[in-house]
């Protein structure tokens, strides 16, 4: 064979990346795009001019720092707020350890949370409030960083950290509510962002097992179980959350007259029953994607129905629906704002009370925008995570 | 009709007039046959002949609607205990491998010894490693199924079925989903298994393997057994016209 | 089971191991459990109702409602509760249908804009979608209502557009077409045009069938109809209808179409929120059309708009239809947030009825049945539609 000279390496022609060229390619490449560009510029000018003028000259932002605490925790007693910090620090510790141990997605999560927390913490440090309110968040970020380094490479901590996550939920509830000698903080005093987050967390965590059972029920080959599950799922999905929340408020005392169930618990019940139907449909999507051969192989190995589901089918099905579940968590997080309608003081409910406060009349726009920013940051952040999980699962 | 009382002596599987319908479609039209302990039977036939359905009735992945199937003295019926016992005695290998993708190779093999036979984890793992060595993939024990080739996956599937120490192994077209260069590695494992004295029922299109290993070849068409014979008779002197046509078509390839 | 073997008898299976018996038993126990639970709740309910001195029946529906409803079809406080509820149902349907139409247009435009080759357009669309998707709808509705519409200028300082559209804190006033006595003449032309169009449609449909050619069967019918309508407009002696403009009388506007602040806020909130979701549905639907299809369209010389209209959208429609249906249903269900700003939709009216009569159980039943009927008919229609477009496409 004839010896050939190696091909000379030819570099692609360098494209001129001048700003004019970029403008021409991205904004003025056709006559109608040029028209759109001009229209968009006019629109942006009008919108921004109006909004910025309002935000810097007319708006009264003083309402936000003056009410910051009730926005965040509602009527939670001032002298017990350290318990909220314990919960935040516990979660920070767990997140730090997890990101140190597992790296990857958990690490990315911790870094984003740390960055956002640090940024907000620095802003808070300039407000002349109590010491802990000023520096507590920065302390939490520091704890996150320290536990991240502690967790690095310590694989044998894995089961402990997983157990910690499992216990974090009851742990949170016990601290917030009070136990042993601690004074009880009634749930009616929980409010603001704290209540919003708790409602969403309870909604997802408690509805998860219910949803799995309903999904298995709907896929069952026993007609009675299948019909009952399907009827439940379709009924709940066919009516608005508001009706279910009202029903929990009005009907629970009628149906269970012997129990005193407070308003927040009834709201949690309504949210959970609502969420379970949607969770069931997500899980069902995952179950349907599992090939029949997996069931057959499990049966052929002598596994019975519960073992087949627990060991073979559910682990695969749930893994594939994680993004859908995160998506559901996001919409549940937004939907918790509906408890305002039944008179609970979640973040939006607090916003309404602040607006109604005679000291701060006429500040609807400021207060609602502030609440909107908080909701936006949380749900945008969660969709970012969901996207990352989807990417990670797609590759793995 | 076979006399059941006489055939059960040295027969490990007895099928008597087994019928099965999918809705109105009559898939199995009265299968009557028996398999001896240690026998290697190859079941062949055109697609849609009911051969896969037939061996799937033997561990009740398909439920027969008429007739009787007795495996190792246990009748397959709606009795929950019998179904459990038979599934522990009958191992099955599928065309699509059906390994559990979320578990490692080792976990796939130890799953049912741990959960069904209640073996200790350490014991199950050492037995599993021995089996993996027997099928020649011990070095992949900690990989996930998606990380190994199709031939390797099918060998893991055989090891997984063997881990329950079954008396009978069913193979449902074990090489049909494999690339040609991987077929032999799986057939080698099956040859070794056959040599060890295992009772094997194999649905396959690998006629070379059938001639070499089988004690008996069963030809099925349209839900019934058309002809059954020892390999040399079956291939060299088939009695039935349909069998002859099938053999000539198959051997052309 | 028939047993074909004469000399053997199947051993009898004890029932606790028999799969068939267990299946039945398991379901019976499950149903008994459900019924028991329902029974306990029912007994509790009866006890509670006795304590309140109420009986469970629907007679109250024929009683006089006695409360006013701010807007909707004709209704007086002296009408029955049933009539009041029906007003709420019609209001829900009205805001849902208008909302669905507007949100679809908005979502379609924004969804296409998100894929535009224009950097500025693309990013404005993306910012809109991300902002409105990630903020709770109730907050948006409250914002539009209390921070925007109620803060608008008073009636006398109304924003005026085109001399006929007035926007102020009392709501939105639009001109309304009023038919004149000449309307019937023009309607005659319209009917004639319709018949002509129908004939042309059928003729062309038959011809396309005969030639076995693909094509747009209304290609002749539509222009013919429009032409007749247009010519008829000029042939009609007077004007078929006039625009009735809202006019300031005393302290308020009268005449024209009036949208209350509550209706407007609810509509804007629903449209902006759902529009963002529909935009995402449209975007992913368009992206799902294989790149090869677009390249092939370019290769045969179609321009960007033709590619979109003739190649991409028809195919994307099949992917878009199911998630679009669920967005429509979401919008309808979300219209129940009207209760927060006092728009008398079916939930809000039902809520008032509950407060007045105490008959919460039958009224909840009516509310849930209404939503279920709306949901089920919509999804039945969309399923039929999906089957149709899937059949044509293959």
């Amino acid at each position: 064979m004839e010896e050939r000279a190696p091909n000379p390496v030819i570099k692609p022609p360098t494209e001129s990346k001048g700003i004019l060229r970029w403008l021409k390619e991205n904004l003025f490449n056709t006559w109608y795009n040029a028209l759109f560009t001009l229209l968009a510029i006019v629109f942006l000018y009008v919108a921004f001019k109006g909004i910025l003028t309002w935000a810097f000259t007319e708006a009264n932002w003083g309402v936000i720092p003056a009410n910051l605490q009730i926005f965040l925790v509602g009527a939670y007693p001032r002298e017990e707020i350290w318990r909220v910090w314990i919960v935040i620090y516990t979660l920070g510790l767990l997140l730090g350890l997890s990101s140190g141990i597992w790296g990857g997605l958990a690490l990315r999560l911790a870094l984003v949370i740390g960055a956002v927390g640090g940024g907000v913490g620095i802003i808070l440090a300039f407000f002349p409030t109590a010491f802990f309110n000023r520096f507590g968040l920065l302390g939490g970020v520091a704890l996150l960083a320290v536990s991240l380094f502690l967790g690095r490479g310590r694989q044998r901590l894995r089961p402990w950290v997983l157990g910690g996550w499992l216990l974090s939920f009851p742990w949170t509830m016990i601290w917030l509510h009070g136990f042993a000698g601690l004074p009880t903080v009634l749930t009616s005093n929980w409010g603001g962002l704290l209540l919003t987050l708790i409602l969403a967390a309870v909604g997802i965590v408690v509805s998860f097992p219910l949803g799995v059972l309903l999904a298995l029920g709907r896929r069952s080959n026993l007609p009675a179980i299948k019909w009952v599950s399907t009827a439940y799922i379709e009924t709940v999905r066919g009516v608005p959350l508001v009706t279910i929340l009202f029903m929990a408020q009005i009907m629970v005392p009628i149906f269970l007259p012997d129990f005193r169930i407070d308003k927040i618990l009834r709201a949690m019940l309504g949210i959970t029953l609502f969420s379970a139907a949607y969770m069931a449909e997500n899980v069902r999507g995952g179950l349907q994607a599992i090939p029949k051969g997996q069931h057959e192989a499990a049966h052929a190995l002598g596994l019975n129905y519960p073992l087949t589901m627990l060991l073979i089918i559910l682990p695969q099905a749930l893994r594939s629906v994680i993004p859908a579940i995160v998506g559901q968590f996001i919409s549940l997080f937004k939907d918790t704002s509906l408890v305002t309608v039944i008179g609970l003081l979640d973040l939006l409910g607090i916003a309404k009370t602040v607006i109604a406060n005679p000291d701060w009349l006429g500040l609807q726009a400021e207060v609602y925008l502030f609440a909107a920013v908080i909701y936006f940051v949380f749900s945008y952040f969660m969709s970012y995570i969901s996207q990352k999980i989807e990417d990670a699962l797609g590759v793995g | 009709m076979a006399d059941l009382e006489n055939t059960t002596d040295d027969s490990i599987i007895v099928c008597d007039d087994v019928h099965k319908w999918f809705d109105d479609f009559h898939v199995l039209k009265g299968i009557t046959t028996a398999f001896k302990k240690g026998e290697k039977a190859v079941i062949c036939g055109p697609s849609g002949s009911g051969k896969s359905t037939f061996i799937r009735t033997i561990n009740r992945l398909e439920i027969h609607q008429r007739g009787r199937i007795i495996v190792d003295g246990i009748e397959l019926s709606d009795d929950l205990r019998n179904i459990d016992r038979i599934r522990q005695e009958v191992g099955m290998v599928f065309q699509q491998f059906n390994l559990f993708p979320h578990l490692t190779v080792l976990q796939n093999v130890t799953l049912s010894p741990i959960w069904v036979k209640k073996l200790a984890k350490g014991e199950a793992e050492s037995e599993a490693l021995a089996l993996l060595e027997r099928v020649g993939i011990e070095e992949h024990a900690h990989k996930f199924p998606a990380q190994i080739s199709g031939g390797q996956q099918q060998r893991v599937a055989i090891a997984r079925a063997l881990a329950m120490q079954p008396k009978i192994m069913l193979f449902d077209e074990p090489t049909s989903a494999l690339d040609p260069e991987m077929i032999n590695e799986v057939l080698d494992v099956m040859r070794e298994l056959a040599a060890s004295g295992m009772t094997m029922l194999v649905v396959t299109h690998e006629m070379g393997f059938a001639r070499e290993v089988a004690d008996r070849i069963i030809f099925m068409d349209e839900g019934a057994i058309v002809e059954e014979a020892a390999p040399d008779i079956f291939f060299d002197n088939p009695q039935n016209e349909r069998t002859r046509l099938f053999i000539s078509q198959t051997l052309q390839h | 089971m028939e047993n074909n073997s004469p000399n053997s008898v199947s051993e009898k299976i004890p029932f606790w191991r028999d799969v068939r018996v267990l299946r039945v038993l398991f379901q019976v126990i499950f149903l008994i459990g459900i019924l028991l639970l329902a029974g306990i709740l029912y007994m509790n309910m009866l006890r509670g109702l006795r304590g309140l001195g109420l009986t469970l029946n629907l007679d109250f529906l024929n009683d006089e409602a006695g409360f006013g409803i701010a807007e909707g079809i004709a209704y007086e406080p002296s009408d029955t509760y049933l009539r009041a509820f029906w007003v709420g149902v019609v209001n829900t349907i009205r805001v849902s249908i208008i909302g669905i139409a507007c949100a679809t247009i908005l979502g379609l435009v924004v969804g296409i804009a998100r894929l535009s080759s224009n950097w500025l357009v693309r990013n404005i669309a993306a910012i809109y979608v991300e902002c409105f998707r990630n903020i709770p709808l109730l907050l948006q509705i409250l914002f539009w209502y209390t921070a925007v519409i109620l803060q608008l200028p008073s009636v006398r300082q109304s924003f005026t557009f085109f001399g006929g559209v007035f926007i102020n804190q009392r709501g939105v006033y639009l001109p309304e077409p009023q038919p004149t006595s000449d309307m019937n003449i023009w309607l005659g032309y319209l009917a004639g045009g319709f018949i002509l169009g129908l004939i042309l449609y059928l003729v062309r449909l038959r011809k396309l069938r005969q030639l076995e050619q693909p094509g747009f069967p209304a290609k002749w019918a539509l222009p013919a109809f429009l032409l007749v309508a247009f010519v008829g407009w000029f042939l009609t002696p007077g004007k078929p209808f006039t625009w009735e403009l809202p006019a300031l009388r005393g302290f308020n506007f009268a005449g024209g179409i009036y949208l209350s602040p509550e209706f407007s806020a609810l509509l804007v909130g629903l449209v902006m929120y759902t529009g963002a979701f529909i935009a995402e549905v449209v975007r992913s639907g368009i992206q799902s059309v294989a790149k090869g299809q677009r390249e092939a369209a370019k290769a045969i010389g179609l321009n960007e708009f033709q590619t979109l209209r003739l190649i991409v959208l028809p195919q994307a429609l099949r992917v878009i239809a199911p998630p679009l249906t669920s967005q429509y249903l979401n919008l309808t269900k979300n219209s129940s947030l009207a209760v927060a700003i006092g728009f008398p939709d079916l939930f809000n009216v039902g809520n008032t009825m509950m407060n007045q009569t105490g008959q919460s159980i039958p009224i909840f039943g009516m509310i849930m049945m209404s939503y279920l009927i709306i949901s089920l008919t919509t999804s039945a229609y969309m399923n039929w539609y999906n089957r149709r477009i899937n059949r044509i496409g293959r």
Side-chain angles (χ1 to χ4, degrees), chain C residues 259-275:
Chain C
L259 308 177
S260 70
E262 292 78 22
F263 181 85
S264 313
L266 184 64
L267 186 67
V268 173
L270 287 173
V271 168
M272 296 299 275
Y273 185 75
T274 316

Side-chain angles (χ1 to χ4, degrees), chain A residues 98-178:
Chain A
S98 317
S99 57
I101 295 170
W102 277 279
L105 197 62
L107 183 62
R108 192 191 287 263
L109 204 89
L111 291 180
V112 176
I113 289 183
V116 173
V120 176
I122 289 170
I123 296 172
L124 282 179
F126 287 103
F127 281 105
T129 55
F131 174 79
F132 226 89
N133 291 356
R134 288 176 72 174
F135 300 106
L137 204 53
L138 286 179
V141 174
L143 179 71
L144 181 74
V146 170
S147 53
L148 199 159
F149 281 103
L150 283 179
R152 267 172 45 174
R154 302 194 185 209
Q155 301 300 324
R156 69 204 156 74
L157 282 180
R158 272 183 186 206
W160 294 100
V161 174
L162 281 179
W165 277 117
L166 273 181
L167 289 178
S168 65
F169 185 64
W171 170 264
T172 302
M173 292 298 155
I174 286 174
W175 273 106
L176 291 180
H177 188 262

Side-chain angles (χ1 to χ4, degrees), chain C residues 47-300:
Chain C
R47 193 153 49 101
L49 288 179
R50 250 199 321 274
L52 293 169
L54 286 170
T55 47
L56 203 56
N57 61 49
L58 291 171
D59 296 344
F60 73 95
L61 285 176
N62 294 321
D63 296 348
E64 186 182 311
F67 61 90
I69 297 180
E71 59 185 298
I73 52 173
Y75 166 84
E76 294 296 325
S78 56
D79 286 337
T80 60
Y81 279 112
L82 192 63
R83 176 74 185 173
F85 190 78
W86 178 244
V87 174
V89 172
V90 172
N91 276 339
T92 290
I93 293 175
R94 186 167 68 111
V95 77
S96 301
I97 288 178
I98 299 175
I100 284 172
C102 298
T104 308
I105 296 169
L106 179 66
L108 194 66
V109 170
V110 176
I112 293 171
R114 283 210 68 179
L115 298 168
S116 160
S117 58
N118 186 319
W119 182 88
L120 209 50
V121 169
R122 195 165 65 219
N123 281 291
I124 290 176
I127 289 171
Y128 158 73
V129 168
E130 290 304 341
C131 281
F132 283 83
R133 234 169 31 138
N134 285 314
I135 296 171
L137 172 59
L138 181 59
L139 201 164
Q140 294 187 34
I141 291 175
L142 286 172
F143 179 86
W144 291 118
Y145 185 59
T146 61
V148 178
I149 293 184
L150 293 186
Q151 308 302 319
L152 287 172
S154 67
V155 174
R156 292 190 178 276
Q157 271 101 43
S158 298
F159 290 127
T160 310
F161 300 97
F162 315 115
V165 178
F166 300 92
I167 299 176
N168 58 51
Q169 55 180 234
R170 295 255 182 96
V172 180
Y173 299 82
L174 304 168
E176 187 180 15
Q178 290 284 348
T180 63
S181 54
D182 292 328
M183 184 68 179
N184 291 335
I185 304 174
W186 192 53
L187 277 181
Y189 284 110
L190 282 189
F194 181 77
I195 292 167
L196 178 69
L198 197 67
I199 293 168
L200 285 173
Y201 179 86
L202 291 174
V203 167
R204 177 152 166 87
L205 197 69
R206 232 183 98 183
K207 199 169 165 200
L208 284 174
R209 288 248 172 86
Q210 277 172 354
L211 294 172
E212 293 185 348
Q213 264 181 5
F216 188 49
K219 194 176 178 179
W220 301 343
L222 220 55
F225 173 72
L226 291 177
L227 189 73
V228 173
F230 190 68
V231 171
W233 177 273
F234 285 103
L235 294 179
T236 310
K239 281 194 172 173
F241 57 80
T242 55
W243 291 100
E244 188 198 48
L245 298 181
L248 195 58
R249 294 207 189 102
F251 293 108
N252 211 341
F253 282 95
I257 300 171
Y258 168 62
L259 308 177
S260 70
E262 292 78 22
F263 181 85
S264 313
L266 184 64
L267 186 67
V268 173
L270 287 173
V271 168
M272 296 299 275
Y273 185 75
T274 316
F277 283 92
I278 292 180
E280 282 301 275
V281 168
V282 169
R283 181 181 66 99
S284 58
I286 291 176
Q287 279 178 334
S288 73
V289 176
K291 208 175 151 208
Q293 290 284 317
R294 266 172 275 174
E295 284 168 354
K298 255 190 202 133
I300 59 171

Side-chain angles (χ1 to χ4, degrees), chain B:
Chain B
M1 183 163 298
D3 187 341
L4 285 178
E5 298 306 314
N6 292 341
T7 48
T8 43
D9 300 338
D10 57 343
S11 295
I12 192 161
I13 304 173
V14 180
C15 300
D16 178 27
D17 194 31
V18 173
H19 286 263
K20 163 94 190 158
W21 288 263
F22 286 133
D23 294 325
D24 281 340
F25 180 61
H26 203 171
V27 208
L28 297 180
K29 299 173 182 165
I31 306 281
T32 300
T33 186
F35 301 92
K36 290 188 178 63
K37 201 168 254 170
E39 182 176 352
K40 290 105 190 78
V42 163
I43 303 165
C44 59
S47 61
S49 58
K51 54 193 192 302
S52 278
T53 309
F54 171 55
I55 73 162
R56 285 157 60 90
T57 57
I58 291 172
N59 68 349
R60 212 169 171 78
L61 283 182
E62 303 289 354
I63 297 169
H64 60 284
Q65 286 142 320
R66 223 167 82 187
R68 301 177 71 189
I69 300 175
I70 296 167
V71 178
D72 199 21
I74 309 165
E75 167 149 22
L76 270 178
S77 62
D78 287 313
D79 188 339
L80 215 53
R81 192 183 63 180
N82 286 3
I83 299 171
D84 283 347
R85 270 158 60 188
I86 283 169
R87 286 196 174 146
Q88 294 191 35
E89 294 199 359
V90 180
M92 175 131 191
V93 175
F94 298 88
Q95 180 177 356
Q96 298 294 342
F97 330 137
N98 293 348
L99 290 183
F100 305 130
H102 61 302
L103 301 177
T104 62
V105 164
L106 186 64
Q107 286 168 330
N108 262 284
V109 180
T110 57
L111 185 84
S112 71
I114 291 175
W115 288 93
V116 180
K117 282 172 80 182
K118 315 280 184 211
L119 243 54
K121 197 175 171 223
E123 198 182 339
E125 282 184 353
S126 58
E127 280 180 21
L129 285 171
L131 278 171
L132 288 174
E133 199 178 340
R134 184 169 164 197
V135 299
I137 28 181
E138 68 278 16
E139 72 270 30
H140 298 307
H142 295 286
K143 287 189 180 165
F144 285 94
Q147 295 168 314
I148 57 178
S149 74
Q152 289 167 330
Q153 287 190 48
Q154 192 60 299
R155 285 185 281 155
V156 173
I158 295 173
R160 179 175 73 175
L162 289 175
M164 289 299 282
Q165 295 168 336
K167 293 183 180 165
I168 301 158
M169 285 285 281
L170 308 176
F171 292 84
D172 187 3
E173 305 203 24
T175 55
S176 298
L178 292 175
D179 292 337
E181 73 271 17
M182 293 172 182
I183 290 177
N184 261 326
E185 59 185 81
V186 172
L187 292 182
D188 284 343
V189 170
M190 290 169 64
R191 282 187 193 104
E192 187 269 334
L193 193 60
S196 75
M198 173 69 73
T199 310
M200 290 165 67
L201 267 62
V202 185
V203 171
T204 187
H205 298 294
E206 293 295 328
M207 289 304 142
F209 174 82
R211 192 190 270 271
E212 175 192 341
V213 175
D215 300 318
R216 175 164 53 135
I217 295 184
I218 299 174
F219 175 69
M220 284 180 67
D221 194 12
E222 292 178 359
I225 294 178
V226 175
E227 184 162 352
E228 47 186 319
D232 42 350
I233 303 173
F234 182 84
F235 285 112
D236 303 333
N237 190 16
Q239 302 299 305
N240 189 294
E241 183 55 40
R242 278 188 282 176
T243 319
R244 240 172 266 147
L245 185 68
F246 176 76
I247 291 170
S248 67
Q249 281 173 348
T250 315
L251 293 186
Q252 271 172 10
H253 300 298

